[in-house]
Amino acid sequence: MSSVTFQGNSVAVSGQLPTVGQAAPDFTLTGADLSDIKLGDFKGKKVLLNIFPSVDTGVCATSVRTFNEKAAGLNNTQVLCVSMDLPFASSRFCAAEGLENVQVASAFRHTEFLADYGVALSDGALRGLSARAVVCIDENGKVTHVERVAELTNEPDYEGALAALK
């Protein structure tokens, strides 16, 4: 088990973070229309998983806005914004913000995703939610970039993730 911090306090994280070069763990998430979203749906495309605790926090909202803006110029790339938020809440946020370059995906019915991607917060005030992480996957399903942010209140390394997709 590893850990991150939340406002400076250690929080245990369960699961194994993927490593660069390995095949991305398969997943099923729930889309805005309550349909299943699977990794296989993006075969032949690059995928950026922007994983975070909840779009209802400032840093999480900023990450969605930032990847929406920066993803607009990426070819053959899908950004999935993944949290435990209900798909309705994430969709409402994106609609209110005019965000059209990201797709929301909820893990609320698929908690195995949190463990499979090494982001399951297993104690502390936010237990049951996900740690903040970015995972980039190439067109062949291989992981090209991984970052689990050490402090939950910090933003991810946007440029590092985007570089892995070019």
Side-chain angles (χ1 to χ4, degrees), residues 41-162:
D41 296 342
F42 305 101
K43 187 173 177 134
K45 282 189 151 193
K46 298 173 191 173
V47 178
L48 184 150
L49 298 175
N50 176 30
I51 306 166
F52 51 86
S54 174
V55 76
D56 286 327
T57 69
V59 176
C60 299
T62 296
S63 74
V64 174
R65 287 184 200 104
T66 302
F67 279 124
N68 178 76
E69 176 187 330
K70 294 185 180 285
L74 298 175
N75 291 326
N76 197 36
T77 301
Q78 180 63 56
V79 177
L80 289 182
C81 293
V82 183
S83 70
M84 292 295 282
D85 292 318
L86 292 176
F88 315 115
S90 299
S91 294
R92 190 170 44 251
F93 171 81
C94 288
E97 296 279 330
L99 307 180
E100 298 178 349
N101 300 316
V102 297
Q103 181 177 352
V104 298
S106 177
F108 87 105
R109 289 195 291 217
H110 309 284
T111 56
E112 67 279 357
F113 172 86
L114 302 182
D116 291 348
Y117 277 81
V119 295
L121 298 177
S122 53
D123 69 5
L126 299 179
R127 85 180 154 272
L129 296 179
S130 64
R132 183 176 319 285
V134 177
V135 178
C136 297
I137 304 166
D138 72 10
E139 302 94 324
N140 300 310
K142 298 285 185 194
V143 175
T144 59
H145 173 83
V146 177
E147 176 194 15
R148 184 171 53 211
V149 180
E151 166 57 49
L152 289 174
T153 61
N154 291 342
E155 293 179 55
D157 174 13
Y158 300 110
E159 297 310 317
L162 295 168

Side-chain angles (χ1 to χ4, degrees), residues 2-72:
S2 57
S3 67
V4 295
T5 58
F6 175 54
Q7 299 176 332
N9 299 309
S10 184
V11 178
V13 180
S14 301
Q16 187 65 36
L17 197 63
T19 58
V20 171
Q22 82 173 73
D26 198 15
F27 62 75
T28 300
L29 298 164
T30 302
D33 62 357
L34 299 178
S35 65
D36 286 347
I37 297 173
K38 299 178 181 221
L39 178 58
D41 296 342
F42 305 101
K43 187 173 177 134
K45 282 189 151 193
K46 298 173 191 173
V47 178
L48 184 150
L49 298 175
N50 176 30
I51 306 166
F52 51 86
S54 174
V55 76
D56 286 327
T57 69
V59 176
C60 299
T62 296
S63 74
V64 174
R65 287 184 200 104
T66 302
F67 279 124
N68 178 76
E69 176 187 330
K70 294 185 180 285

